[in-house]
Amino acid sequence: MININTLLKLTQEKSASDLHLTVGSSPVIRIDGRLSITDYPVFTEEDTKTLIYSMLNDEQKAIFEKDKELDFSFAMPGMDRFRVNVHLQKGCVEAALRRVPAKIPSIDDLGLPDVVYDFISRPNGLVLVTGPTGTGKSTSLASMVDYINSNREEMIISIEDPIEFIYENKKSIIKQRELYADTHSFPEALKRVLRQDPDVIIVGEMRDLNTIATTLTAAETGHLVLATLHTPDAPQTIQRIIDVFPPHQQRQVTVQLAECIQGVISQVLLPRANGKGRVLATEVMVSTPGIRNLIRENDVAQIPSLLQMGAQYGMHTMDKSLKSLYRKGVITKEAAISKVRNPSEFESL
C-alpha cells in the first residue's frame, strides 16, 4: 500500500495545487488548473480510509466521526504544508488536499497591482481579497502579511481555519490562531483580539453574519484588517456584505462599511498561453469619495462605472485586466473570454 508521504512528495515535485484521494480512482492531482490522474492503482474504500486516517491523530478521528467533516493542516519535515479537507462521499472517507508552498511569494512575484502597497500601508480600515475557491486568495493575503512583517514593526494577529502559511517574525510579531485548536469561532476570536494590542488583524475568511459584523467593528476601531471573501468582483463583494444583514440593519451597515472599507482586490487565475503555469488577473476598487458615497447610498450597481473611470486611483475592471494580459500574449483570447464579465465591453476595450 502506498503511503501518504509518497503522494505529498509527488504533488510537490509536480508543482500541483491539489491532491484528491477518492474511492474508485487513482490519486488525482491538479496542475495549472487541470486534473491529472496518476499512475498509481485505483483506491478501494479501505485504501482511502487507511491513507487518510494515517494523517489524523485520535482527537481528529473522533471529531471527524462525529461531525463527518474535518479541516486541518498537515506537514512533513522538509516539505510544503497541505490544507486538508476530509469528508464522506456515499459513506466513503475521502479527502482534498491543497498544497501551501513553504516559501511565501512576494506581491510582485504574484503580479498583484501596485495599489496593494498603498492598501497595506494604511493605518486602519478594511482591505478585502476576493475570488472563487482556488484563485490564490490565501497566497495573496500571505504576501501582504509578509511584506508588512519585513518592513514595519507591527503586532499582527491572524485567525485562520486552518493555519496555512507559517510566518517567522521579522520586524513584526505575528500570532497565528487556528479555529478550534486555539479558539472556538471567528467572532469569539475577533472580540478577544481587540484586547491583544493588534496593529494588523488577519481574518482567514468572512463566512457568516457574526464574523462580518465583528470584522467591520475591528476595522472601525483603528486597526488595519485584511480578510478574504468568496465573491467574484468588487460590486458583488459590497452587496454580499450588506445582504448578509437583516433589512432593519442594512442602513447602518452601509454607513459603517462606507467609512471603513479601503479597497477590494478580486482575482482569478488563468492558464498561460505558453502552457507553463498560471497568471493572475485582477479587479481593483479603491475607496474614493465617490465609491464611499455609492456604498453609503447602497447604489452598488454604479460601482463598475467608477471602476472604469478610476485608473488614476489605481482602479480597473476585471475585463480590462484580462484584455491587457491577452494583448501582451500572456493568455489566449479563449481563456480571457471564459472569465469576462461584460463581453461587449471586453471587445470595445
Side-chain angles (χ1 to χ4, degrees):
M1 172 68 184
I2 187 174
N3 64 43
I4 192 65
N5 295 6
T6 301
L7 292 177
L8 297 183
K9 188 175 181 182
L10 173 72
T11 306
Q12 182 170 327
E13 287 174 347
K14 296 286 188 181
S15 297
S17 60
D18 300 86
L19 166 67
H20 295 277
L21 306 177
T22 305
V23 174
S25 168
S26 303
V28 176
I29 56 178
R30 187 182 291 276
I31 303 172
D32 295 337
R34 297 184 179 90
L35 293 177
S36 174
I37 300 174
T38 65
D39 295 331
Y40 292 104
V42 170
F43 280 173
T44 64
E45 183 177 340
E46 188 58 34
D47 291 335
T48 56
K49 184 173 181 179
T50 300
L51 202 61
I52 292 164
Y53 269 44
S54 72
M55 293 186 285
L56 308 183
N57 58 36
D58 291 341
E59 183 183 4
Q60 289 170 324
K61 290 174 188 174
I63 293 171
F64 173 65
E65 287 167 4
K66 174 179 172 286
D67 296 343
K68 300 185 178 181
E69 309 276 357
L70 181 67
D71 290 300
F72 65 99
S73 294
F74 186 78
M76 298 298 296
M79 294 180 63
D80 289 341
R81 290 170 62 82
F82 286 80
R83 186 183 73 201
V84 187
N85 172 268
V86 184
H87 52 272
L88 293 177
Q89 192 262 137
K90 296 178 184 173
C92 300
V93 180
E94 300 191 343
L97 295 85
R98 168 67 51 82
R99 184 172 66 90
V100 181
K103 183 179 184 297
I104 300 173
S106 71
I107 290 170
D108 292 340
D109 288 343
L110 292 176
L112 286 164
D114 289 344
V115 72
V116 168
Y117 291 107
D118 180 50
F119 286 155
I120 59 178
S121 69
R122 301 188 184 193
N124 54 47
L126 178 63
V127 176
L128 295 173
V129 181
T130 79
T133 300
T135 53
K137 297 185 296 297
S138 297
T139 308
S140 293
L141 206 61
S143 73
M144 297 179 203
V145 174
D146 194 55
Y147 181 84
I148 296 171
N149 186 22
S150 300
N151 292 277
R152 303 211 301 269
E153 297 169 354
E154 309 277 19
M155 174 63 73
I156 303 171
I157 302 177
S158 76
I159 306 154
E160 303 174 60
D161 179 28
I163 288 173
E164 297 184 49
F165 290 92
I166 299 292
Y167 305 100
E168 292 183 4
N169 294 339
K170 297 175 184 175
K171 287 192 173 182
S172 296
I173 300 295
I174 303 180
K175 296 185 178 183
Q176 295 182 264
R177 305 192 68 204
E178 184 166 273
L179 210 61
Y180 308 120
D182 302 314
T183 182
H184 290 300
S185 69
F186 275 115
E188 186 64 25
L190 281 163
K191 287 177 187 175
R192 306 292 182 187
V193 79
L194 298 179
R195 300 174 186 171
Q196 294 160 12
D197 190 32
D199 298 297
V200 181
I201 300 169
I202 314 299
V203 182
E205 183 185 342
M206 291 168 58
R207 59 174 61 162
D208 55 44
L209 188 153
N210 286 335
T211 304
I212 291 172
T214 45
T215 300
L216 291 177
T217 299
E220 270 191 320
T221 53
H223 304 89
L224 177 63
V225 181
L226 310 179
T228 72
L229 202 60
H230 288 287
T231 43
D233 55 35
Q236 289 188 61
T237 298
I238 301 302
Q239 198 66 62
R240 164 77 190 284
I241 293 172
I242 295 169
D243 288 349
V244 80
F245 290 87
H248 70 276
Q249 290 184 346
Q250 289 183 1
R251 177 60 191 156
Q252 174 193 339
V253 169
T254 56
V255 174
Q256 190 179 18
L257 182 59
E259 289 303 315
C260 73
I261 190 77
Q262 295 286 9
V264 178
I265 307 125
S266 302
Q267 58 185 58
V268 295
L269 287 171
L270 298 102
R272 291 181 178 272
N274 63 11
K276 297 178 181 177
R278 291 188 291 175
V279 66
L280 195 67
T282 58
E283 175 170 290
V284 175
M285 185 193 83
V286 179
S287 292
T288 61
I291 290 287
R292 292 186 192 276
N293 187 57
L294 290 179
I295 295 172
R296 198 176 292 113
E297 298 302 320
N298 200 1
D299 192 5
V300 176
Q302 298 303 314
I303 288 177
S305 297
L306 291 193
L307 297 186
Q308 291 173 356
M309 298 184 294
Q312 71 268 38
Y313 303 109
M315 290 194 270
H316 60 256
T317 62
M318 180 63 72
D319 288 0
K320 187 171 184 180
S321 177
L322 292 167
K323 187 71 171 184
S324 174
L325 291 171
Y326 166 60
R327 278 182 168 161
K328 293 174 183 175
V330 179
I331 61 174
T332 64
K333 187 172 186 180
E334 291 71 27
I337 288 174
S338 72
K339 300 294 183 183
V340 295
R341 306 278 191 265
N342 185 334
S344 59
E345 180 198 349
F346 179 78
E347 292 294 343
S348 69
L349 279 169

